[in-house]
Amino acid sequence: MPLHKTNILKIYNSLSGEKETFVPIHEGNVGMYVCGPTVYSNVHLGNVRTFMSFDMIFRYLLHLGYKVRYVRNITDVGHIVDDVDEGEDKIAKKARLEQLEPMEVVQRYTVDFHEILKEFNFLPPSIEPTATGHIIEQIEIIKKIIANGIGYEANGSVYFDVVKFNETNHYGKLSGRNIEDMLANTRDLDGQSDKRNPQDFALWKKAEPQHIMRWPSPWSDGFPGWHLECTAMSTKYLGNHFDIHGGGMDLKFPHHECEIAQNEACTGQTPVNYWMHANMLTLNGKKMAKSTGNNILPREILTGGSEFLSKAFSPSVTRFFMMQAHYRSILDFSDDAIVAAEKGYNRLMEAMQNLKEIVPKNSSTIDIPTWKKECYEAMNDDFNSPILIAQLFEGVRFVNILKDNSATLTSEDLGIFTKTMQAFVFDVLALEDGKSSSDSNARLEGVIEMLIRMRNDARANKDFALSDHIRDQLIALGIQLKDGKDGTTFTL
Ligand code: AMP
Ligand code: ZN
């Protein structure tokens, strides 16, 4: 029997502001859409945190035995600088600055995104659609919104009439904003825009002559508005009504609010049952962001090459650091915090090794079924990974007392204990054993020291062909040997 039948999963729904029992639309199946990256530059560690939160959620749903269709898109057009309607497309701007074809920019940063996700042990989504691959679907949605009287054309662009929509629906229900306040707090358009109301948003924008990213449409040669792509791609692959929609907290308004409005204006149906928002990663108390430079890149974590870091950290230590906070809490990054996380991670991995050596006895002195139940309760309570980790450290304590024979487990309990620890550590939290950078650095240094000793032996035996060969091979790998009067040292 799949585990989801015996586990009551609660999810915090941003739409209701409450934790709700998760009931999928189709029993045993989950449709989940998560807004992907805008591929105009390298993802920073903040972006990685949001995607990692949803990777953990995806993994737990799979662990519970759900058949999950997880769609995460690539935004390769339509996202305007500063998240507004007027201005330059983020990708077009980068292409202009670097004198590249926009799709070269898209390709470069999509490849980089995939490399980072692989490095950090992400599961790939089931479908990864691109906005430019779904222009036809977006045009069809605009046609329906216009036909339903909520969209209007002005000078080749098409806008969503928020005021008209709000007469029959509720614009602001996700973000808790109220349209009257929004209208009162925005400047008059002074005739500078084609919009009827300042809150209206673009469904289609007519491209200026110099704008290179353009497609034909019934209204003009132009490009779709940013919010539209997610409405088009989520419904295409998950249907007009699906289970979960996720993204970073900063996407709640306007992006997700506009998505709901578009869906409702197009199909008359509210699209999503559970809206989930992951909270921000901050650095020195400020949001990590590409635009402000207040960020760390994932590769800088792996090499230690950032002013904010004292050394390198492995992908698994970084993951462990992230998972120690609940996905809905703000997490502040600091060198001290990740150094502490590395110690915790190493203790956990040591216990996972020691667990393999434990032998069963005739009786159990630890209540494993209760401990296991508490692990599941933590995750069933809105994916509470920090409480799960506290439970796993209770597991570490069990390993230690089992190892020094002050506790015992029957073979059945030992089997349940081992399976549960492995499932949560490796499958759900996706930590990898032996991937701590201090571990692998120590191993690498050991191997180089061994080669230096072999080279010294070769030189003592006057076998200079071999000693030179060792030195040259190391240089080819980027390892430089330096002979001094106190012996040979090396630099990487
Ligand atoms: P973008 O590429 O800007 O569209 O962002 C991709 C994802 O990263 C979105 O879900 C954002 O909400 C999320 N995001 C952006 N900045 C941060 C941050 N500092 N911490 C966590 N998530 C973030
Ligand atoms: Zn989106």
Side-chain angles (χ1 to χ4, degrees):
M1 188 163 57
L3 286 172
H4 64 76
K5 297 231 185 222
T6 49
N7 280 272
I8 297 171
L9 174 63
K10 297 246 181 202
I11 296 185
Y12 179 88
N13 189 349
S14 307
L15 198 56
S16 64
E18 282 172 13
K19 280 184 203 165
E20 297 173 13
T21 301
F22 178 62
V23 183
I25 297 167
H26 304 288
E27 210 209 320
N29 292 270
V30 180
M32 175 162 93
Y33 184 90
V34 172
C35 295
T38 307
V39 281
Y40 73 103
S41 69
N42 304 101
V43 281
H44 57 68
L45 211 56
N47 306 126
V48 170
R49 182 188 182 203
T50 286
F51 298 127
M52 202 176 268
S53 296
F54 287 101
D55 183 63
M56 176 270 290
I57 288 164
F58 179 38
R59 285 168 172 276
Y60 188 58
L61 293 169
L62 291 175
H63 175 73
L64 290 182
Y66 284 114
K67 184 162 180 252
V68 188
R69 182 178 295 170
Y70 173 25
V71 184
R72 190 188 59 217
N73 73 300
I74 296 281
T75 295
D76 56 356
V77 70
H79 199 164
I80 305 293
V81 176
D82 296 330
D83 295 356
V84 291
D85 278 342
E86 309 292 334
E88 205 171 1
D89 183 289
K90 290 188 180 191
I91 287 159
K93 181 176 176 191
K94 183 79 169 190
R96 178 173 59 76
L97 293 176
E98 299 204 356
Q99 296 196 322
L100 294 170
E101 152 69 28
M103 283 302 130
E104 278 182 284
V105 173
V106 165
Q107 179 71 11
R108 175 187 294 174
Y109 294 111
T110 304
V111 168
D112 178 75
F113 176 59
H114 288 155
E115 282 173 6
I116 294 299
L117 296 191
K118 198 148 185 271
E119 192 80 68
F120 285 81
N121 198 23
F122 278 66
L123 289 179
S126 328
I127 305 175
E128 194 175 49
T130 62
T132 56
H134 296 76
I135 301 288
I136 293 169
E137 288 82 351
Q138 297 183 67
I139 289 175
E140 288 308 307
I141 293 174
I142 300 174
K143 284 184 192 164
K144 285 189 194 139
I145 295 176
I146 294 175
N148 291 342
I150 312 282
Y152 59 92
E153 193 208 325
N155 290 324
S157 293
V158 182
Y159 295 97
F160 188 98
D161 190 332
V162 170
V163 174
K164 185 88 185 292
F165 172 76
N166 197 56
E167 286 168 10
T168 45
N169 299 61
H170 179 186
Y171 183 75
K173 67 177 163 192
L174 178 67
S175 55
R177 296 179 192 219
N178 167 318
I179 187 135
E180 283 77 29
D181 293 347
M182 284 189 240
L183 290 173
N185 290 329
T186 25
R187 275 180 300 120
D188 203 22
L189 293 170
D190 295 335
Q192 287 173 7
S193 168
D194 296 325
K195 292 182 188 177
R196 286 182 191 159
N197 319 290
Q199 298 306 328
D200 293 355
F201 56 89
L203 296 171
W204 187 263
K205 286 294 287 181
K206 178 181 175 180
E208 299 299 328
Q210 72 277 13
H211 198 107
I212 31 185
M213 301 182 78
R214 52 170 69 226
W215 289 263
S217 81
W219 313 285
S220 63
D221 272 12
F223 55 94
W226 171 38
H227 315 304
L228 192 61
E229 58 169 277
C230 289
T231 291
M233 292 183 271
S234 59
T235 53
K236 170 155 180 161
Y237 299 108
L238 299 172
N240 288 340
H241 184 209
F242 57 95
D243 297 302
I244 299 175
H245 191 314
M249 205 71 98
D250 55 344
L251 298 185
K252 210 192 256 187
F253 188 88
H255 187 53
H256 292 158
E257 195 71 65
C258 295
E259 259 192 68
I260 297 179
Q262 290 167 159
N263 284 75
E264 291 184 357
C266 177
T267 67
Q269 252 184 303
T270 192
V272 175
N273 279 356
Y274 303 87
W275 280 92
M276 297 184 71
H277 290 98
N279 217 327
M280 298 292 108
L281 185 67
T282 57
L283 180 61
N284 300 322
K286 284 191 234 104
K287 183 187 165 195
M288 268 201 200
K290 286 168 195 165
S291 48
T292 57
N294 187 51
N295 66 58
I296 298 180
L297 296 181
R299 281 208 181 82
E300 292 173 338
I301 281 273
L302 305 182
T303 59
S306 157
E307 54 174 315
F308 301 109
L309 298 169
S310 61
K311 64 185 213 52
F313 297 91
S314 74
S316 275
V317 167
T318 311
R319 211 176 234 276
F320 183 78
F321 165 76
M322 303 271 196
M323 292 295 130
Q324 278 183 318
H326 187 251
Y327 77 92
R328 281 192 295 115
S329 308
I330 290 176
L331 173 61
D332 193 46
F333 185 92
S334 70
D335 191 62
D336 286 351
I338 194 161
V339 165
E342 184 169 58
K343 291 199 181 105
Y345 165 82
N346 286 339
R347 273 206 309 132
L348 184 59
M349 287 305 144
E350 199 188 329
M352 294 309 286
Q353 284 300 330
N354 290 337
L355 179 54
K356 293 181 194 158
E357 315 292 325
I358 307 293
V359 282
K361 300 278 162 56
N362 289 334
S363 64
S364 290
T365 58
I366 304 171
D367 183 357
I368 292 298
T370 301
W371 168 83
K372 178 183 167 185
K373 195 165 131 274
E374 283 165 2
C375 289
Y376 280 91
E377 274 170 10
M379 287 303 280
N380 290 341
D381 183 16
D382 194 29
F383 309 96
N384 201 324
S385 59
I387 303 280
L388 170 70
I389 290 176
Q391 279 301 122
L392 296 176
F393 275 99
E394 182 66 353
V396 170
R397 192 178 70 79
F398 295 165
V399 172
N400 292 338
I401 56 176
L402 288 164
K403 195 170 162 234
D404 69 16
N405 289 320
S406 47
T408 57
L409 287 183
T410 61
S411 133
E412 190 190 353
D413 278 345
L414 182 59
I416 297 171
F417 179 46
T418 306
K419 206 170 141 216
T420 309
M421 284 293 281
Q422 287 177 341
F424 281 114
V425 171
F426 301 131
D427 301 344
V428 176
L429 297 181
L431 304 174
E432 292 176 291
D433 204 356
K435 284 275 181 95
S436 156
S437 64
S438 44
D439 274 9
S440 41
N441 284 352
R443 263 182 233 142
L444 177 63
E445 283 168 18
V447 172
I448 298 172
E449 298 287 356
M450 186 182 78
L451 286 165
I452 291 174
R453 282 195 299 278
M454 285 170 71
R455 177 169 167 264
N456 289 343
D457 290 347
R459 286 160 101 193
N461 294 332
K462 302 212 174 338
D463 185 351
F464 297 112
L466 177 61
S467 68
D468 287 351
H469 183 64
I470 293 174
R471 186 201 54 208
D472 294 345
Q473 291 290 304
L474 286 172
I475 288 173
L477 292 168
I479 300 160
Q480 191 85 42
L481 300 187
K482 208 165 142 209
D483 297 314
K485 58 179 183 338
D486 297 328
T488 306
T489 54
F490 66 90
T491 48
L492 284 169

